[in-house]
Amino acid sequence: MPVSGEPFDPAKPDFENPLVSRGDVTVYRTIRTRTGLTVPVTITNTGRDRAAYTAEVKITGPQAFEAVLHVGTDGTPLYPGTSRPAELTATDPGKPVPSDPTITITRVTRTPDES
C-alpha cells in the first residue's frame, strides 16, 4: 500500500501487497510494460539458520503467453530474518503482454549453510 498522502504510481514495484507465496518466496503485483512484465519478488529466510535459495516462477496469460523466471541468492546464504528483493522481467517474444497474468511459484529450494 502506498504511504498515506503519496499517490499510487503503477510504474513502481509494489513490495507491499503479495499475490502469491510459497515457503520463503513471495511474488507481488506485476507491472505491465510494452515488452513484458516486471515481477517483484522477495526471498525471506524464515528459518533458524543461514540458507541459500533458488526458486522458479511461472507466468502465463492469454494467447499462450508463458515465461519461466529464476530467482535466488546466487549461492549466498541469507541470515535468519533477512530478505533479498528482486525485480525480474517476464517476456514471451511475439506474444501480447497479459494485463492479468497467472503467477505460480513452481519450485523453491532452500539449501542450509554448512559453514
Side-chain angles (χ1 to χ4, degrees):
M1 271 264 135
V3 176
S4 178
E6 287 184 22
F8 174 70
D9 184 349
K12 290 185 178 179
D14 177 6
F15 283 100
E16 297 291 322
N17 298 301
L19 290 178
V20 62
S21 291
R22 180 173 174 183
D24 290 350
V25 178
T26 302
V27 177
Y28 300 85
R29 184 185 55 80
T30 60
I31 300 166
R32 186 174 183 240
T33 67
R34 288 184 197 157
T35 58
L37 292 168
T38 300
V39 182
V41 178
T42 58
I43 300 171
T44 302
N45 183 349
T46 61
R48 300 175 128 206
D49 301 311
R50 290 173 22 130
Y53 292 84
T54 59
E56 187 175 273
V57 178
K58 185 175 182 180
I59 314 291
T60 59
Q63 299 181 25
F65 182 95
E66 185 173 315
V68 177
L69 305 173
H70 299 273
V71 63
T73 60
D74 299 322
T76 303
L78 294 179
Y79 282 94
T82 62
S83 296
R84 165 104 25 110
E87 289 181 42
L88 309 173
T89 302
T91 61
D92 190 354
K95 307 283 175 58
V97 179
S99 57
D100 190 21
T102 300
I103 301 171
T104 308
I105 301 170
T106 56
R107 179 180 55 80
V108 176
T109 303
R110 182 182 192 279
T111 306
D113 185 27
E114 298 296 324
S115 57

